[in-house]
Amino acid sequence: MTIEIREVLKVFLDPAKGSDTVALQEVSLSIGQNEFVVLLGPSGCGKTTLLNLVAGFDFPTAGSVLVGGRAVNGPGPERGVVFQSPNLFPWLSAYDNVLFGPRVRGQDLAGGARRATALLSLVGLAGFEGHRPHELSGGMQQRVAIARVLMNDPDILLADEPFASLDEHTRRAMQEEFLRIWEQTRTTVVFVTHNIEEAIYLADRIVVMSRRPGRVKAILPVDIPRPRDRTSAGFVELTRKALELIQPEVTV
Amino acid sequence: MSRMPTTSEGSATFRAEPLSEAAPLHPPRAGRRLDPLGLVLPGVVLIAWWVAVHFGLATNVLLPSLSAVGWTLLDWVFNVSGGRYFFSGTWWRDLLGSLMRVMVGFTVGSALAIVIGVLVGWYRVFERIADPTIQILRPIPKTAFLPFAILLFGLGNPPALFLTIYGVFLTVYIQVVVGVKLVSRDLKRAALMLGARDRDVLFRVVLPAALPNILVGMRVGAAYAWLILILAEMLAVQEGFGYVLWHAYEFLRMDVVVAGMLCIGLFGYLTDRLVVIVMRRKLDWAQAVAETQF
Ligand SMILES: Nc1ncnc2c1ncn2[C@@H]1O[C@H](COP(=O)(O)OP(=O)(O)O)[C@@H](O)[C@H]1O
Ligand SMILES: [Mg+2]
């Protein structure tokens, strides 16, 4: 499914302070079917805000967000979201977390049960079905969150810095895993990160955002064939380019 | 479905991280048997009581002796005096009456609080309709409604039940509303993006997530039920622990008053344990997340 973001403006009003925050300004972006797009930008530049507009958690102040040609008017199961923190339901086991989607959608649970088990092993959690979130490490919880979303067969996967809180080795392993899953499912992906290496490793296209108010500063196509070698000349060259674009946007 | 992993690792493609986070830091507290440390303060109080009576530090009227309280309890329960006093042998009647009123007041009051509190916490329009009125009623001491309750219902169970239900309702209500409102936005968003409708979000996410707060409210409500019921019984009912306690005071029988206090304390404690048992069972996940035990 395609995503069209047209001339989006997003202003947050704070009636208490009487001050407005312009989080996004004149953001336009087209994302094609099955494309893997990474939003890259410094902290506070509006990445989460933009993702929330596509997810339907929030609405633009001006401009429009179209998914599959229709204006987004709320969240829906065809747009799965993986949040920065796993956000699992803590009273449900990993298995029941994964089955949450089919349950609320009133779907056939007999097939769902088999599929949930299969998805949990797809994300490397075979044998952990009965574990509750607090019995799993952060990385394992995030994998349950991914399986929970995949269970709905979404057309679009929205991921907001899903691996940011993981250690470097786990993060790289998760990136590989995420790509493997994407190659199997071929959903459209919008993946937010502030990590340049992660962006280049994953993306078909990197959308570099400016500091607040967030705009699209540049678009970097990544033409390196997968699996990508993080130490190859092409990778390093692109890292340098991205750094040059990002550095002036970082304010301390 | 196996509840335990067959191996300590995930699938072959993905090395599971060590489960150090999964292992509890402290082993579960050794049983829930009587902790000797908990007996220290009651022991001190008993000794101080005995000393005060033995050395005549307080007048007999104010401070009955341990043995007087013991005999009174015996008479209250078993009528050893052969019906000499107004309370001789009435203990079972008093216990069942008070217990019935507390249970009805607590159950009905909590049920109302949960239904109305969830509606107010979840639907803005219910909040606008009901909450202002409830907030105006809250600062009026619940006991201040007793005169009206007696005039309206006469003496006996009805005014006592009314007051207990009302008091429990207000106590639990606040906690239910707060519990519903404090459910994390992201948890609700997670449910929505998975395809949940409003009703599913309420029943499958908001209610379970608000349960810790709701049960805490019910625990406070149970204590409140006893408090307000005893007062109602003092003035509006002709039986029950509160009635005996107040009637005894009018005869300056402080031994009976102390016996009544002990009974109220004991059964108040037992109803509290009842709520705690439910909390332990329903909130095992919340306890595990916080690595704690109630
Ligand atoms: N709900 C909100 N109310 C007010 N300001 C907000 C809100 N959400 C985000 N902002 C502001 O919008 C800007 C962009 O935030 P965000 O999209 O979270 O950035 P990022 O995800 O890139 O770090 C920040 O300045 C932030 O303070
Ligand atoms: Mg963010």
Side-chain angles (χ1 to χ4, degrees), chain A residues 10-14 19-24 41-52 58 84 160-161 192-194 209-210 212-214, chain B residues 185 189:
Chain A
K10 180 65 192 177
V11 183
F12 290 105
L13 308 173
D14 185 344
S19 63
D20 305 343
T21 308
V22 182
L24 298 170
S43 173
C45 75
K47 305 182 295 293
T48 297
T49 304
L50 186 55
L51 208 70
N52 283 345
D58 205 346
Q84 184 160 354
D160 190 359
E161 310 201 36
V192 164
T193 185
H194 60 254
M209 292 179 66
S210 71
R212 202 180 68 218
Chain B
R185 180 197 67 185
R189 283 182 170 178

Side-chain angles (χ1 to χ4, degrees), chain B residues 23-81:
Chain B
L25 289 180
H26 327 278
R29 220 190 288 150
R32 281 159 177 151
R33 266 167 268 120
L34 213 52
D35 182 348
L37 265 187
L39 296 175
V40 171
L41 282 180
V44 168
V45 169
L46 279 179
I47 289 169
W49 183 0
W50 182 83
V51 166
V53 171
H54 191 75
F55 294 99
L57 301 181
T59 63
N60 264 349
V61 170
L62 182 64
L63 198 65
S65 67
L66 271 164
S67 56
V69 173
W71 278 112
T72 299
L73 268 173
L74 271 181
D75 190 30
W76 191 8
V77 180
F78 298 112
N79 189 13
V80 289
S81 70

Side-chain angles (χ1 to χ4, degrees), chain B residues 120-137:
Chain B
V120 165
W122 187 242
Y123 297 106
R124 181 80 187 110
V125 42
F126 278 97
E127 181 175 24
R128 289 173 51 200
I129 292 172
D131 199 58
T133 311
I134 295 174
Q135 296 308 331
I136 288 171
L137 291 174

Side-chain angles (χ1 to χ4, degrees), chain B residues 29 32 212 216 219 273 276 279-281 283-284 286-287 292-294:
Chain B
R29 220 190 288 150
R32 281 159 177 151
V216 167
R219 193 173 175 191
R273 287 296 97 182
V276 169
M279 285 174 81
R280 283 194 183 131
R281 293 185 43 171
L283 300 184
D284 57 337
Q287 293 178 79
T292 188
Q293 280 184 325
F294 304 128

Side-chain angles (χ1 to χ4, degrees), chain A residues 32-100:
Chain A
Q33 177 90 19
N34 304 341
E35 198 182 6
F36 198 130
V37 166
V38 167
L39 301 180
L40 178 68
S43 173
C45 75
K47 305 182 295 293
T48 297
T49 304
L50 186 55
L51 208 70
N52 283 345
L53 296 181
V54 180
F57 296 145
D58 205 346
F59 300 95
T61 310
S64 54
V65 178
L66 307 176
V67 169
R70 295 161 93 191
V72 172
N73 65 357
E78 74 289 350
R79 277 160 293 137
V81 181
V82 180
F83 301 86
Q84 184 160 354
S85 63
N87 262 317
L88 300 175
F89 305 114
W91 52 89
L92 297 180
S93 65
Y95 176 78
D96 286 324
N97 264 283
V98 174
L99 271 181
F100 186 93

Side-chain angles (χ1 to χ4, degrees), chain A residues 127 132 134-135 137 143 152 177, chain B residues 5 10 14 17 22 194 284-285 288:
Chain A
R132 304 236 203 133
H134 71 269
E135 296 171 300
S137 70
R143 280 183 260 151
N152 273 340
E177 195 70 5
Chain B
F14 214 103
E17 299 133 72
L194 289 170
D284 57 337
W285 60 271

